[in-house]
Amino acid sequence: MQSPARFASALLSSLIALLLLFSLPAASPAQAYVGRPKLIVIVVIDQFRGDYVERYRTELKGRGFRLFTDQGAWFTDCYYDYANTKTAPGHATIGTGAYTDGHGIEANEWWDASRSNDHKVTAVEDERYRLVGLPSTSSPAGAPAFVIGASPRNLRATTLGDELRLATQGRSRVYGVSLKDRAAILPAGQAANGAFWTDDASGQFITSTYYMNRLPQWAQAFNAGGRIAEAAREAHVEDLSHFHDLVEPTPAANRYELDFARALIDGEQLGRGPVTDLVTVSLSANDLIGHAKGPDSEEEHQMILGLDRDLDGFFSWLDKTIGLQNVWIALSADHGVAASPAQAAKLGIDAATPDLPALRARLNLLLNARFSPQEAKNYILVSGDLPYLTLDRRVFEADRIDEKTAEDAAAELLPQALAQLAPPASPALPSDHRLPPTPTAAGVYTRLEMTRGPLPPSELGRLLAHSSFDHGNWYVMLMLGPYQMQDLHSLAGTTHFSPWSYDRHVPLAFYGAPFLPGEYHERVAPVDLAATLASLAGINQPSAAVGRVLTEALKTGHPSAQP
Ligand SMILES: [Zn+2]
């Protein structure tokens, strides 16, 4: 029989052995600082609604989308938590984990009173830099060496890539790729080593002196290597002078872009260094076909199946070169899209298409009647797209009208202006026993309300607050009714810009060692992407991040415990 003292001692040794067993240092902790994972790839599909994969699930093959649905964490209900569902803000949101009130990007282009009152600026244009790699055939005559460059100058928050660069004192390398400048630049961030996008005419990949003074050798070789002609052949296009218009709205463009991403990863030897590298790849082709043909078209269907094959090819290549066990991949989209108004009207939905220039003109008449009945003044700046209408504050200020008076008047008169529009020629007549579609203002909110309140104490109020920004202009935000949008002059066409769920619904998915495979139906948001990856990589979340770490999709325990 053991003495109590010997029994206690044996128990203690067993406990110590057990403790040691569970506290063994992990051989390779999952931290960006030590190159675990070796590479993070963020894939953003431009205009890809959250229901598409479910719609075509039985036709998906290989390790494209099914890499996420079968082996990754797949979130079925991811919704943007703001009301301005456009391309530039969506990409900025994915990179920064913040909304427009955090990252400062509200649209693809806007009036910026601090830069010019004569023309709008795009989200990324920057006259302090010039484009790099533009072929002479695409440069304007007389100014071949100087074409306005681009930069992330308007981003007011850091991205996941920026934080990765900061955490590793610049040793991590971060790149962005897209066919569109804004979609290459914004998700990658301010500290990115490079961003590449295509020249509209030639299809060649270009960049800006913000990043570098000449294209890297591998990019020059890619541009010179006959890949553009191959993409044109795949797209059955003979004319090589309008790449953007002719080749980019086809499945061949996704393949072309993913091949460039491979050339980048190879050329810069990403995922082979001592710390984690990051690439954002924004696939633009879907958006072009989606706008032109609508989400329910056969063209969109074929685009999705083509993309599935191309993602399979890209992920399989990553597996061969870096090994998928060394890579984390995240997938999302910058916005969804509405069913085409024609399609919605056919089913009896009030899917009107008001004429935006006519609406602006009508609102201007009503403002004139109120503030300057003797003169014709232009109170509204001609702005591109809804949901914002920008007021010309100079005209109001010349009449000593303050911002609150001006914006309140515009908000009050807009529904009236909309009601006064001649009924538009309906793109598709509803059935004969239903009334024709009528445009309706579901809400109008002013800049002052959006930035200072009061806003409705509801989910809508939160969406509006997240959509506010300040570029020195006065504005109001117009919410049209669901499936209502400005006249697109096309029966099949559609767009995205609204707070309605179809514009906010996107996929969110992760693949990689720390993720618990499964299908998740929690309501999540694209801001959670940066928050989750930052947490797993052991680095700070981006400066304005508001996302949640998606712990339900993580294997339990420290990620270092994962193989
Ligand atoms: Zn987009």
Side-chain angles (χ1 to χ4, degrees):
M1 195 178 154
Q2 281 183 331
S3 75
R6 284 184 64 179
F7 177 74
S9 155
L11 189 69
L12 196 64
S13 330
S14 314
L15 273 173
I16 290 169
L18 205 65
L19 277 171
L20 276 174
L21 189 70
F22 282 101
S23 62
L24 279 177
S28 46
Q31 284 188 342
Y33 304 103
V34 290
R36 295 277 298 178
K38 291 185 174 305
L39 181 67
I40 298 174
V41 181
I42 299 177
V43 178
V44 186
I45 312 174
D46 202 312
Q47 190 188 123
F48 198 86
R49 217 170 48 198
D51 62 330
Y52 286 176
V53 163
E54 201 52 49
R55 181 181 279 196
Y56 300 116
R57 194 185 272 254
T58 57
E59 297 172 69
L60 303 175
K61 297 190 174 72
R63 289 193 295 180
F65 290 110
R66 288 181 57 172
L67 183 73
F68 303 100
T69 58
D70 296 0
Q71 299 173 50
W74 180 260
F75 287 87
T76 57
D77 290 78
C78 178
Y79 288 83
Y80 275 90
D81 208 13
Y82 63 4
N84 48 310
T85 42
K86 306 288 288 187
T87 291
H91 283 87
T93 295
I94 287 171
T96 62
Y99 291 110
T100 293
D101 59 336
H103 57 58
I105 307 287
E106 81 273 18
N108 295 338
E109 53 178 31
W110 56 73
W111 292 95
D112 184 340
S114 71
R115 288 172 69 184
S116 173
N117 281 314
D118 302 324
H119 64 89
K120 289 177 291 181
V121 293
T122 78
V124 293
E125 77 175 54
D126 192 337
E127 58 282 357
R128 301 169 303 178
Y129 300 96
R130 61 182 172 79
L131 295 178
V132 172
L134 200 64
S136 56
T137 46
S138 299
S139 307
F146 191 94
V147 176
I148 289 179
S151 80
R153 68 182 288 166
N154 294 305
L155 265 184
R156 293 181 186 171
T158 60
T159 61
L160 183 71
D162 290 335
E163 293 300 330
L164 202 52
R165 298 263 296 151
L166 284 165
T168 60
Q169 291 90 52
R171 288 186 301 150
S172 285
R173 283 152 318 142
V174 173
Y175 287 89
V177 174
S178 178
L179 300 181
K180 299 178 180 177
D181 53 5
R182 53 185 175 269
I185 291 169
L186 297 173
Q190 302 167 54
N193 299 74
F196 303 96
W197 58 93
T198 52
D199 164 42
D200 278 357
S202 68
Q204 291 201 20
F205 277 90
I206 57 175
T207 184
S208 163
T209 50
Y210 177 80
Y211 302 103
M212 58 194 81
N213 289 319
R214 55 187 308 174
L215 283 178
Q217 203 60 47
W218 59 262
Q220 293 181 33
F222 182 90
N223 281 337
R227 191 59 186 82
I228 292 170
E230 192 185 325
R233 264 198 309 280
E234 287 173 13
H236 309 292
V237 167
E238 286 177 13
D239 180 357
L240 289 181
S241 63
H242 299 284
F243 191 85
H244 173 79
D245 296 341
L246 301 175
V247 180
E248 289 192 1
T250 73
N254 282 328
R255 204 143 48 241
Y256 174 69
E257 194 184 326
L258 287 166
D259 277 0
F260 184 82
R262 292 188 204 198
L264 161 69
I265 292 167
D266 249 354
E268 298 296 339
Q269 288 288 292
L270 301 181
R272 277 84 148 188
V275 292
T276 300
D277 295 324
L278 171 75
V279 185
T280 66
V281 181
S282 170
L283 297 157
S284 315
N286 247 79
D287 187 61
L288 297 164
I289 202 72
H291 277 293
K293 304 289 183 183
D296 304 307
S297 61
E298 182 53 22
E299 287 88 346
E300 178 70 49
H301 178 194
Q302 290 309 321
M303 194 66 142
I304 291 166
L305 297 187
L307 179 56
D308 187 47
R309 283 191 294 274
D310 296 332
L311 286 176
D312 179 21
F314 180 60
F315 297 151
S316 298
W317 176 83
L318 279 175
D319 197 13
K320 270 196 223 104
T321 49
I322 302 175
L324 281 184
Q325 71 278 12
N326 299 314
V327 181
W328 297 348
I329 309 173
L331 174 88
S332 194
D334 59 341
H335 48 75
V337 73
S340 76
Q343 182 82 10
K346 251 190 237 168
L347 298 175
I349 290 165
D350 212 2
T353 52
D355 179 343
L356 186 58
L359 178 65
R360 274 199 298 263
R362 177 60 58 177
L363 175 63
N364 198 48
L365 280 178
L366 294 173
L367 288 168
N368 266 285
R370 177 167 299 184
F371 294 121
S372 57
Q374 312 305 326
E375 301 169 80
K377 296 189 177 182
N378 290 319
Y379 289 105
I380 316 286
L381 284 167
V382 178
S383 54
D385 295 336
L386 294 174
Y388 305 104
L389 282 113
T390 309
L391 309 184
D392 194 336
R393 63 183 287 179
R394 294 167 301 172
V395 180
F396 285 104
E397 283 174 329
D399 289 346
R400 297 177 183 280
I401 299 166
D402 65 17
E403 179 178 5
K404 183 168 189 327
T405 309
E407 289 178 357
D408 284 351
E412 179 201 329
L413 296 170
L414 247 176
Q416 210 175 313
L418 195 62
Q420 288 174 0
L421 285 186
S426 174
L429 287 175
S431 61
D432 52 13
H433 60 279
R434 287 182 178 155
L435 295 170
T438 326
T440 46
V444 188
Y445 297 90
T446 68
R447 187 192 82 85
L448 285 175
E449 288 171 330
M450 289 168 65
T451 52
R452 296 179 197 174
L455 285 169
S458 62
E459 179 166 354
L460 174 63
R462 206 177 63 236
L463 299 182
L464 292 165
H466 284 163
S467 309
S468 67
F469 61 93
D470 185 4
H471 289 299
N473 293 103
W474 300 351
Y475 59 86
V476 295
M477 186 171 200
L478 169 64
M479 287 167 53
L480 290 170
Y483 297 96
Q484 299 188 359
M485 57 195 72
Q486 65 192 79
D487 187 7
L488 301 156
H489 311 291
S490 152
L491 278 177
T494 183
T495 193
H496 50 85
F497 70 100
S498 80
W500 307 119
S501 59
Y502 48 78
D503 282 344
R504 293 165 45 213
H505 189 195
V506 291
L508 180 64
F510 300 89
Y511 171 85
F515 298 99
L516 192 63
E519 188 169 289
Y520 299 87
H521 291 268
E522 285 89 351
R523 180 100 167 206
V524 295
V527 289
D528 301 339
L529 187 155
T532 301
L533 291 179
S535 176
L536 286 172
I539 61 172
N540 293 319
Q541 293 191 10
S543 60
V546 294
R548 178 172 75 84
V549 180
L550 299 168
T551 51
E552 63 271 36
L554 304 184
K555 290 175 183 163
T556 50
H558 190 273
S560 60
Q562 316 308 334

